[in-house]
């Protein structure tokens, strides 16, 4: 019986990239342009859910769609250059390749802007899928045969479980290790620097 090739999925924000500086800069611009108070320091402590969910905390319902469009336009010039890779991000992708596998980034972020981040930082997954959050990520994970999904948020755990994938959580985002475990993560790592070692042990145990 043929063995399925290893395919590992990764979330983007606070998993592969520390998007807090860029997102704060964009929200600062949006706040100034719209003459609307936005606590941007608070915003960057709860990254993960879709943009529209956060905008609903600051704008009336009829303004959310136009503000989302403006945010995404501002993001190109103000959200990319100041955003670094998370420690271990490049090595995590490379570890999957060394194991003969493929990498898929599945993120709630607008796909064009997600691509700009990956290109700017030289992160090179085999595939990118944007615009999906929580359980909706499960559709893409199943479609692309992802057996391991790595993320920082309880929504990522829910996405992995919806796809029947192993949930590997990293405590580099808004959810701490206990919260990730309580959400049902199969594995909780402190950060991505621990991922290559875990993957080697995992591959040996199922090989």
């Amino acid at each position: 019986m043929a063995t399925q090739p290893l395919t590992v999925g990764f979330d983007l924000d606070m998993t592969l990239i520390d998007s807090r500086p860029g997102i704060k800069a964009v929200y600062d611009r949006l706040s100034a342009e719209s003459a609307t108070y936005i606590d941007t320091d608070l915003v960057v402590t709860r990254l993960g859910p879709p943009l529209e969910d956060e905008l609903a905390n600051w704008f009336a319902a009829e303004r959310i769609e136009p503000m989302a469009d403006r945010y995404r336009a501002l993001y190109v010039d103000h959200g990319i250059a100041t955003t670094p890779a998370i420690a271990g991000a490049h090595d995590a992708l490379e570890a999957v390749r060394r194991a003969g596998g493929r990498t898929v980034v599945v993120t709630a972020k607008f796909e064009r802007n997600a691509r700009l981040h990956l290109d700017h930082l030289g992160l090179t997954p085999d595939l990118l899928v944007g615009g999906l959050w929580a359980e909706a990520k499960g559709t893409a994970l199943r479609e692309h045969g992802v057996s391991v999904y790595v993320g920082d948020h309880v929504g990522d755990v829910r996405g992995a479980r919806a796809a029947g994938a192993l949930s590997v959580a990293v405590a580099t985002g808004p959810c701490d290790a206990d919260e990730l475990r309580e959400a049902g993560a199969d594995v909780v790592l402190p950060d991505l620097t621990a991922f290559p070692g875990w993957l080697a042990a995992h591959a040996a145990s199922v090989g």
Side-chain angles (χ1 to χ4, degrees), residues 98-169:
R98 286 197 304 270
R102 298 173 65 250
T103 55
V104 180
V105 170
V106 182
T107 174
K109 189 178 289 296
F110 186 51
E111 190 168 307
R112 181 193 66 184
N113 291 341
R115 172 56 64 191
L116 290 174
H117 276 301
L118 295 172
D119 291 348
H120 177 72
L121 294 170
L123 294 165
T124 55
D126 295 293
L127 183 68
L128 167 65
V129 181
L132 297 176
W133 162 243
E135 287 84 357
K137 290 185 174 186
T139 303
L141 298 178
R142 285 193 305 272
E143 179 182 350
H144 298 291
V146 172
S147 58
V148 176
Y149 185 60
V150 185
D152 66 283
H153 198 283
V154 295
D156 299 321
V157 177
R158 285 154 46 198
R161 292 176 70 85
L166 191 74
S167 172
V168 176

Side-chain angles (χ1 to χ4, degrees), residues 11-167:
D11 176 50
L12 184 63
D13 288 358
M14 304 312 299
T15 298
L16 290 173
I17 65 173
D18 183 351
S19 50
R20 292 172 295 183
I23 287 175
K24 177 174 168 51
V26 176
Y27 271 108
D28 283 338
R29 297 281 299 199
L30 188 68
S31 177
E33 280 192 10
S34 64
T36 301
Y37 172 71
I38 301 174
D39 186 342
T40 58
D41 290 320
L42 175 61
V43 166
V44 298
T45 67
R46 54 191 188 196
L47 302 181
L51 169 62
E52 290 81 2
D53 288 11
E54 182 61 51
L55 291 173
N57 295 309
W58 313 104
F59 296 97
E62 67 274 10
R63 299 188 69 194
I64 292 173
E65 185 176 350
M67 288 299 104
D69 290 342
R70 183 59 183 150
Y71 174 98
R72 290 174 177 128
L74 288 168
Y75 203 99
V76 175
D77 291 326
H78 303 284
I80 305 299
T82 59
T83 294
I86 291 275
H90 291 87
D91 289 344
L93 296 177
E94 185 56 34
V96 178
R97 294 195 181 94
R98 286 197 304 270
R102 298 173 65 250
T103 55
V104 180
V105 170
V106 182
T107 174
K109 189 178 289 296
F110 186 51
E111 190 168 307
R112 181 193 66 184
N113 291 341
R115 172 56 64 191
L116 290 174
H117 276 301
L118 295 172
D119 291 348
H120 177 72
L121 294 170
L123 294 165
T124 55
D126 295 293
L127 183 68
L128 167 65
V129 181
L132 297 176
W133 162 243
E135 287 84 357
K137 290 185 174 186
T139 303
L141 298 178
R142 285 193 305 272
E143 179 182 350
H144 298 291
V146 172
S147 58
V148 176
Y149 185 60
V150 185
D152 66 283
H153 198 283
V154 295
D156 299 321
V157 177
R158 285 154 46 198
R161 292 176 70 85
L166 191 74
S167 172

